[in-house]
Amino acid sequence: MDKKMFCFQCEQTVGCTGCTGNAGVCGKKADTARLQDELTGALISLARAVDGAETISKSTWQVMIEGLFTTVTNVSFDDASIKNMIQKVRAERERLVPDCSKCLSPCGKTDEYDMQQLWNADEDIRSLKSLILFGIRGMAAYAYHASVLNYEDAEINRFFCEALFKIGYEESAETLLPTVLKVGEINLKCMALLDKANTETYGNPEITKVNIGVRNNPGILISGHDLRDLEMLLEQTQGTGVDVYTHSEMLPAHYYPAFKKYQNFVGNYGNAWWKQKDEFEAFHGPILMTTNCIVPPKDSYKDRLYTTGAAGYPGCQHIGDISAENGSASAVNKDFTVIIEHAKKCAPPAQIEEGEIIGGFAHAQVLALADQIVAAVKSGSIKKFVVMAGCDGRMKSREYYTEFAQKLPGDTVILTAGCAKYRYNKLALGDINGIPRVLDAGQCNDSYSLAVIALKLKEIFGLDDVNQLPIVYNIAWYEQKAVIVLLALLALGVKHIHLGPTLPAFLSPNVRNVLIEQFGIGGISTADEDIMKFLS
């Protein structure tokens, strides 16, 4: 493949075929894309080294997970940090298999994989391997957040190696397809692990009204997904006169009881990730990007954009860990003084909205309302639940989801998670017998809550199959975490999922047909046509 770069892992990829020029639609440069390929190739060789090692330390899994997370769309645009990650992977491999490169009888088993082999492979093999690769990249994001809270799982960690091994060294579609489905199966365990990490650390989310206005103090805007970063920031801003606001996927932090004690935790500012260029400019204060969803910043606020964790952007200051005693994730800490002092010199945020939005409908809270929900279903007050979880994006075609939500009949309830909710979570859709018609479970990883709710309703109604429930799935996708959520739903046996606004470019016609035949996966058309089809 004689291209400057090749990337087709997200929904916005050029022509729904692949970004191949000087830069991707996300803003990733060709050199950065090549470095991410090099990092992936190094991770595949590390997986082989793990396969032959006698003992595996915690640091091995942390390097593997962080390396995969670094390659997720909109996480890191910083070539220097990616190069550093590559060196960390190589150092870990050398530690596991010392002097392997000097062997007089090389077996080639720990050679770094050339990703051009994948991009140039038979289209069905490339498609299946891409599903596996993009799935474990999304899963690595969830494993990373759990690890920061010192929650890990040996089976999940080992599977990263198994999947990487298959990407590099398996060429049989008959073997790769079951691995695709296993990615979803293991991700269910990974999402359960992160759910446990978050709820045992910060409490079960509660129904909460979140302010979307502003106060007159200077502020810090925190975006991304990492709750530990938010916790440290809130602790360090106490008594400083600086307010903290959430943005995009950090909104659900307001639902956790542990964060409600912070008086300077003001509310949510703005909408989904793709609107950040305008919203970050209006905020006036510094912004902390904890994970993915970075959009290349305008010069007008680039000096106010900070990154941490796996996130990175050239020219923006990165806040690293200041301690990690004995490699323990629980000992990791960060010093946000530079951001706090920066905020003190800034004007308060400009108000762009006012009012409140309601959320906090994760599985524990919804199951507490189970009797009320079941009664509404049995009485006919609720006819259908519509799962509209997933990602938002900048394409005009995304307006479909707003129109779809507005036109749904009043006896339907939307179950949502992820930033796709910003297409409809501020609409006045009312309630059914006191149950809001939009139930926000939280971040994209909280799609796990939607699965738990579905399985519990199946049990309550005495059904044999989750597909017998009055639930339809109309999911928006953008990047790799949406891919892994889709695979998790397939692992649960959920069928007839509709995916939009387009089907992934990395699905070859044959692989797409397999998913259609086995699981009934489909695309979307117009809001009117789909409502008639889904609710008939």
Side-chain angles (χ1 to χ4, degrees):
M1 185 171 291
D2 186 21
K3 306 291 184 182
K4 293 180 180 178
M5 64 179 286
F6 180 73
C7 185
F8 63 170
Q9 67 178 1
C10 78
E11 188 269 335
Q12 66 182 359
T13 194
V14 172
C16 202
T17 56
C19 295
T20 59
N22 292 316
V25 176
C26 69
K28 177 172 63 180
K29 304 296 185 186
D31 287 345
T32 307
R34 285 194 291 267
L35 283 171
Q36 291 185 344
D37 278 354
E38 186 178 343
L39 173 55
T40 304
L43 286 165
I44 290 172
S45 72
L46 176 59
R48 287 299 300 262
V50 167
D51 189 51
E54 293 183 4
T55 57
I56 310 301
S57 71
K58 185 173 184 175
S59 65
T60 301
W61 304 126
Q62 290 176 330
V63 166
M64 187 171 292
I65 289 167
E66 184 179 357
L68 283 166
F69 186 18
T70 299
T71 62
V72 170
T73 300
N74 289 41
V75 170
S76 182
F77 296 80
D78 186 30
D79 290 358
S81 65
I82 298 173
K83 288 176 182 176
N84 181 59
M85 192 72 238
I86 293 169
Q87 292 309 312
K88 286 170 67 175
V89 172
R90 288 171 176 164
E92 194 62 30
R93 182 187 65 212
E94 179 65 20
R95 190 188 66 78
L96 291 174
V97 284
D99 299 324
C100 187
S101 60
K102 300 175 184 178
C103 180
L104 296 178
S105 302
C107 63
K109 290 183 177 179
T110 56
D111 289 350
E112 294 190 6
Y113 181 74
D114 181 358
M115 289 293 286
Q116 289 302 309
Q117 292 180 244
L118 174 54
W119 307 140
N120 288 316
D122 167 82
E123 67 171 353
D124 292 334
I125 297 299
R126 181 176 70 174
S127 182
L128 291 168
K129 287 188 175 184
S130 294
L131 266 171
I132 296 168
L133 176 59
F134 303 155
I136 63 172
R137 284 177 174 176
M139 185 163 65
Y142 299 151
Y144 179 93
H145 297 314
S147 178
V148 166
L149 296 174
N150 215 25
Y151 284 71
E152 295 183 335
D153 182 277
E155 182 183 9
I156 294 169
N157 290 343
R158 278 285 179 183
F159 181 73
F160 284 118
C161 288
E162 178 184 334
L164 285 165
F165 182 90
K166 293 288 177 66
I167 293 164
Y169 302 101
E170 181 57 67
E171 301 300 327
S172 165
E174 290 73 23
T175 303
L176 289 169
L177 183 57
T179 304
V180 169
L181 300 180
K182 189 173 179 180
V183 173
E185 176 189 329
I186 298 297
N187 187 57
L188 283 170
K189 298 180 179 181
C190 191
M191 288 197 295
L193 178 70
L194 180 54
D195 179 79
K196 181 179 180 181
N198 287 339
T199 56
E200 290 189 353
T201 305
Y202 303 115
N204 280 305
E206 303 168 336
I207 299 174
T208 305
K209 291 182 178 179
V210 182
N211 172 46
I212 56 175
V214 299
R215 300 199 305 198
N216 291 323
N217 299 326
I220 296 172
L221 186 61
I222 182 169
S223 191
H225 305 74
D226 200 290
L227 299 182
R228 173 60 181 150
D229 285 331
L230 172 64
E231 180 183 27
M232 289 185 285
L233 182 64
L234 288 171
E235 289 172 350
Q236 293 174 39
T237 52
Q238 294 306 290
T240 64
V242 174
D243 288 337
V244 175
Y245 297 79
T246 56
H247 178 264
S248 193
E249 278 275 65
M250 198 61 83
L251 162 65
H254 292 278
Y255 312 153
Y256 288 90
F259 297 126
K260 295 183 179 182
K261 65 183 179 184
Y262 296 103
Q263 297 302 307
N264 66 328
F265 192 32
V266 176
N268 191 70
Y269 190 88
N271 297 276
W273 62 274
W274 62 275
K275 290 189 175 182
Q276 64 188 250
K277 286 194 173 185
D278 293 330
E279 293 171 352
F280 287 3
E281 196 161 43
F283 186 75
H284 298 156
I287 305 104
L288 177 62
M289 300 299 296
T290 65
T291 53
N292 56 318
C293 304
I294 298 174
V295 172
K298 293 180 180 179
D299 290 340
S300 58
Y301 66 82
K302 186 176 180 180
D303 67 322
R304 294 189 279 113
L305 188 69
Y306 294 80
T307 62
T308 192
Y313 196 87
C316 295
Q317 186 166 343
H318 188 80
I319 309 296
D321 300 341
I322 60 174
S323 64
E325 184 179 350
N326 298 324
S328 171
S330 62
V332 171
N333 207 346
K334 297 175 183 179
D335 184 355
F336 292 124
T337 300
V338 64
I339 306 178
I340 297 168
E341 293 304 313
H342 191 161
K344 291 177 181 178
K345 301 173 186 176
C346 296
Q351 181 149 307
I352 57 176
E353 296 178 291
E354 60 182 359
E356 295 176 324
I357 48 180
I358 189 169
F361 296 94
H363 58 88
Q365 182 64 80
V366 172
L367 295 182
L369 301 172
D371 290 345
Q372 188 178 345
I373 292 171
V374 169
V377 172
K378 288 183 175 179
S379 70
S381 299
I382 295 177
K383 291 284 198 331
K384 289 277 188 180
F385 296 94
V386 183
V387 174
M388 293 180 68
C391 312
D392 197 15
R394 61 171 61 89
M395 305 301 286
K396 186 173 177 59
S397 57
R398 299 269 179 167
E399 294 174 2
Y400 159 92
Y401 293 101
T402 303
E403 182 185 358
F404 185 90
Q406 288 173 320
K407 290 184 173 180
L408 280 172
D411 55 10
T412 57
V413 172
I414 295 171
L415 302 175
T416 192
C419 65
K421 62 175 161 274
Y422 283 102
R423 289 287 173 176
Y424 40 80
N425 68 341
K426 297 172 186 177
L427 299 176
L429 296 180
D431 64 81
I432 300 173
N433 300 340
I435 301 168
R437 289 193 55 230
V438 177
L439 301 182
D440 175 20
Q443 296 180 340
C444 55
N445 49 278
D446 293 312
S447 296
Y448 172 74
S449 276
L450 305 184
V452 171
I453 292 165
L455 292 175
K456 186 63 178 178
L457 288 175
K458 178 173 82 78
E459 177 187 327
I460 290 172
F461 286 111
L463 302 175
D464 298 324
D465 185 348
V466 70
N467 295 293
Q468 295 173 320
L469 286 167
I471 300 178
V472 295
Y473 296 81
N474 191 9
I475 296 175
W477 84 282
Y478 174 74
E479 42 90 313
Q480 296 78 69
K481 285 181 285 181
V483 172
I484 192 62
V485 169
L486 171 66
L487 295 179
L489 290 173
L490 298 185
L492 282 174
V494 175
K495 295 185 177 181
H496 307 297
I497 297 170
H498 290 266
L499 198 62
T502 60
L503 291 177
F506 51 80
L507 292 181
S508 69
N510 286 334
V511 171
R512 184 171 63 244
N513 287 338
V514 168
L515 294 178
I516 291 171
E517 290 167 7
Q518 290 193 15
F519 299 100
I521 284 181
I524 60 173
S525 54
T526 68
D528 289 326
E529 290 173 354
D530 287 345
I531 286 173
M532 184 176 296
K533 178 168 56 179
F534 298 166
L535 303 186
S536 63

